[in-house]
Amino acid sequence: YFAGALRRFAPADLPRPTIVGLSCERADHSLEAMGLVGRAAARAVHAYLGAIYLPQCDYHLANSTYTAAELAGAQRSAHRRHVQTIPMGVDVSGFGPQYRCETWRQRWRHQLGLPPEGRLVLYAGRLAREKRLQRAIDVIAWLRQQGRPVGLVMVGSGPDESRLRQYAAGVASGGVAWAGYVGGAAALAQCYASADVFLHVNDREPFGIG
């Protein structure tokens, strides 16, 4: 609420800076992913954005049209704000098949007990409830039940890791490996290039960095 304090309480003899807010998530769908659903929750989010969040800044930036739509829909005529969409960029020069690593593949194939023709499926990102990663584990469990030699390598860390580990042990025992946090662009590029499939199951992603 520092932005709101600047607008309301800054000394009159000091020039007030232009205050710009940046939104990288949608409040409504983030809460929904955590189980807070229903009309009451939706109305509360809409009211908070329109009456409290939006008025505190002079302008708002959003990382995608998906994120911006929530802000635009919550606008109130008493303090309407301009919302500009500016997608985050991607440096494609840092990725490519030249980063493919057989050692990486052999390591995870061995850990997952996959034969040479087995497929390595990759998720890279935060291990958080709003990413809906339980679905990814369900996909692997179903494929293995069909006799498909696949395994999932989870790259990343986050608040939902312990629950996901427990869930995977129950429904896809031996089918999920945990790589933890991987830092550095080159190391991540190796993960992407060395896996066979990248799996991202969140249908409410504000801007998929992965």
Side-chain angles (χ1 to χ4, degrees):
Y1 299 98
F2 181 62
L6 278 177
R7 289 180 63 85
R8 178 165 293 187
F9 302 116
D13 57 336
L14 291 179
R16 183 178 68 76
T18 299
I19 303 169
V20 181
L22 171 64
S23 294
C24 295
E25 302 278 355
R26 281 186 61 135
D28 55 355
H29 294 159
S30 293
L31 291 175
E32 185 178 308
M34 291 183 275
L36 295 175
V37 296
R39 292 183 178 178
R43 284 197 295 266
V45 169
H46 193 271
Y48 172 81
L49 290 175
I52 300 175
Y53 178 74
L54 282 161
Q56 294 192 60
C57 297
D58 301 302
Y59 300 94
H60 287 271
L61 303 179
N63 63 349
S64 68
T65 54
Y66 171 77
T67 305
E70 180 184 40
L71 301 178
Q75 294 275 7
R76 295 189 175 190
S77 57
H79 31 64
R80 190 167 292 279
R81 300 288 184 263
H82 178 68
V83 179
Q84 178 71 40
T85 300
I86 303 181
M88 293 185 285
V90 178
D91 180 8
V92 295
S93 66
F95 300 91
Q98 68 270 23
Y99 290 97
R100 188 177 178 88
C101 176
E102 274 304 314
T103 302
W104 188 96
R105 290 175 60 79
Q106 290 171 10
R107 172 192 175 189
W108 293 110
R109 270 211 208 99
H110 175 74
Q111 185 162 331
L112 291 162
L114 296 177
E117 71 276 12
R119 298 295 185 183
L120 287 169
V121 180
L122 174 74
Y123 168 79
R126 289 181 65 244
L127 305 184
R129 190 174 292 269
E130 64 267 21
K131 299 297 183 183
R132 306 190 177 197
L133 293 173
Q134 188 168 307
R135 291 179 175 182
I137 297 169
D138 289 339
V139 167
I140 298 302
W142 183 83
L143 287 170
R144 288 167 71 89
Q145 288 168 8
Q146 307 304 309
R148 304 290 185 88
V150 299
L152 173 64
V153 180
M154 287 278 205
V155 172
S157 60
D160 207 29
E161 182 173 348
S162 59
R163 186 188 71 85
L164 290 170
R165 281 178 176 267
Q166 186 176 9
Y167 183 77
V171 303
S173 180
V176 182
W178 308 85
Y181 173 77
V182 174
L188 277 173
Q190 183 183 89
C191 295
Y192 286 123
S194 303
D196 299 301
V197 177
F198 181 79
L199 181 61
H200 191 81
V201 294
N202 184 17
D203 60 348
R204 298 289 180 83
E205 186 65 52
F207 186 91
I209 297 174

